[in-house]
């Protein structure tokens, strides 16, 4: 039986990844000091997509066993594991990882094959029986602490994200080789820095990166119009191009409109980095007639629904 409420739910599984393209060898990319941060970033973001949280599943170690890249996963909550299994079963995890690898490595396509194991059990053979999969994962307790290399990559990814949000002219100290974590040429005109200001309804506003407060307000107020805003943003954001928006709608259907809108904007922020500016979001809102929400984000009024 699985643990009762008094005992933390902890389980482990191995995710086997292989590219079906002969020119793309994932283990070789991960063994490259230059490419490793980009591959790690893609893995981290795809796993976050699968559980709806950056902390939903923990990577303990990444093994290179040609032709496979093998990721040892640790789950600390049964609900997170359920979400992961649903995402894996429906192919959403595979699509998300392919998308993030394409962006991080600046590759046109990364065809993937996946396999999930817990101990000697091949979970792909029992995916329709979610409770049995959970039982197998729960039985396999993690046999190691997180690898030091994973911890270093996690810290550098966090530092990069924080510095991007604080300073548009990000300069990563102590982590210079990991600049490749921010994939190049993600949007049109990406060689130019974002404008320092923009005009809305005849007023000038300082441009800035989208804040967590903006993110939450948007998700709360945009309601079912989030798809329209996403399609406006996709014109200059590769990560939101078809079928990404429809995939997000399906993947987070159970969680409702707030989570769907939140995940869409999260995808935009993660892929665009310092170029995920409030000016681009306001322009997308204007394009769809969401003026009240634009005013709310710019602090022109408060407590008004959109």
């Amino acid at each position: 039986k699985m643990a009762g409420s008094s005992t933390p739910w902890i389980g482990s599984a191995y995710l086997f990844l292989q590219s079906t393209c002969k020119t793309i060898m994932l283990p070789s990319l991960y063994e490259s000091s230059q490419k490793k941060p980009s591959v790690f970033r893609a893995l981290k973001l795809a796993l976050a997509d699968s559980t709806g949280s950056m902390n939903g599943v923990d990577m303990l170690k990444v093994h290179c066993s040609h032709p496979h890249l093998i990721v040892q996963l640790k789950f600390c909550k049964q609900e997170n594991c359920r979400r992961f299994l649903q995402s894996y079963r429906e192919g959403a995890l595979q699509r998300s990882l392919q998308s993030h690898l394409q962006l991080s490595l600046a590759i046109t396509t990364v065809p993937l094959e996946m396999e999930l194991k817990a101990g000697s059990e091949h979970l792909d053979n029992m995916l329709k029986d979610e409770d049995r999969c959970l039982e197998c994962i729960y039985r396999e307790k993690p046999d190691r602490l997180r690898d030091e290399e994973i911890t270093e990559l996690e810290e550098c990814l966090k530092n990069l994200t924080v510095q991007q949000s604080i300073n548009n002219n990000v300069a990563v100290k102590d982590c210079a080789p990991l600049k490749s974590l921010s994939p190049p040429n993600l949007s049109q005109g990406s060689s130019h820095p974002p404008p320092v200001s923009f005009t809305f309804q005849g007023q000038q506003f300082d441009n800035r990166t989208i804040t967590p407060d903006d993110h939450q307000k948007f998700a709360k107020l945009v309601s079912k119009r989030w798809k329209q805003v996403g399609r406006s943003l996709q014109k200059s954001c590769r990560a939101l191009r078809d079928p990404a928006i429809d995939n997000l709608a399906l993947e987070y259907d159970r969680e409702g409109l707030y989570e769907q809108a939140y995940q869409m904007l999260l995808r935009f922020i993660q892929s665009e980095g310092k170029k995920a500016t409030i000016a681009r979001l306001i322009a997308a809102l204007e394009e769809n007639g969401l003026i009240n929400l634009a005013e709310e984000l710019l602090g022109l009024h408060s407590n008004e629904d959109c």
Side-chain angles (χ1 to χ4, degrees), residues 41-57 80 83-84 86-88 92-101 103 239 244 247-248 251-252 255 259 262-268 270:
R41 179 183 189 275
L43 288 169
K44 181 72 177 175
L45 295 181
L47 290 170
D49 287 346
S50 74
T51 61
S53 167
M54 290 298 284
N55 301 312
V57 55
N80 287 336
R83 289 181 179 178
F84 170 85
Q86 180 185 351
S87 177
Y88 182 85
L93 174 62
Q94 182 177 14
R95 293 189 295 270
S96 177
L97 182 54
Q98 286 174 325
S99 175
H100 286 302
L101 284 170
L103 290 166
N247 288 344
L248 286 170
E251 186 174 355
Y252 296 99
E255 286 81 1
E259 190 64 19
Y262 187 90
Q263 292 295 330
M264 184 278 290
L265 195 58
L266 178 64
R267 180 73 58 87
F268 175 73
Q270 289 175 335

Side-chain angles (χ1 to χ4, degrees), residues 141-174:
K141 301 304 180 191
D143 59 359
R144 64 181 306 123
L145 298 174
R146 182 193 287 182
D147 195 77
E148 287 184 8
E149 181 180 68
I150 298 292
T151 301
E152 291 173 7
L153 288 165
E154 289 263 16
E155 285 303 311
C156 286
L157 183 57
K158 286 179 186 176
N159 291 342
L160 183 67
T161 303
V162 168
Q163 289 175 20
Q164 283 179 335
S165 64
I166 293 174
N167 182 0
N168 278 351
N169 298 315
V170 59
V172 184
K173 299 176 183 177
D174 305 324

Side-chain angles (χ1 to χ4, degrees), residues 88-134:
Y88 182 85
R89 182 175 64 246
E90 295 174 354
L93 174 62
Q94 182 177 14
R95 293 189 295 270
S96 177
L97 182 54
Q98 286 174 325
S99 175
H100 286 302
L101 284 170
Q102 287 170 221
L103 290 166
S104 293
L105 298 169
I107 297 175
T108 54
T109 181
V110 186
L112 289 177
E113 284 184 352
M114 289 185 167
E115 189 177 358
L116 190 63
K117 295 181 182 180
S120 60
E121 299 286 352
H122 291 248
L123 301 187
D124 298 75
N125 299 329
M126 59 179 84
L127 288 174
K128 291 182 180 179
D129 189 347
E130 190 173 277
D131 287 337
R132 187 180 171 198
C133 289
L134 286 167

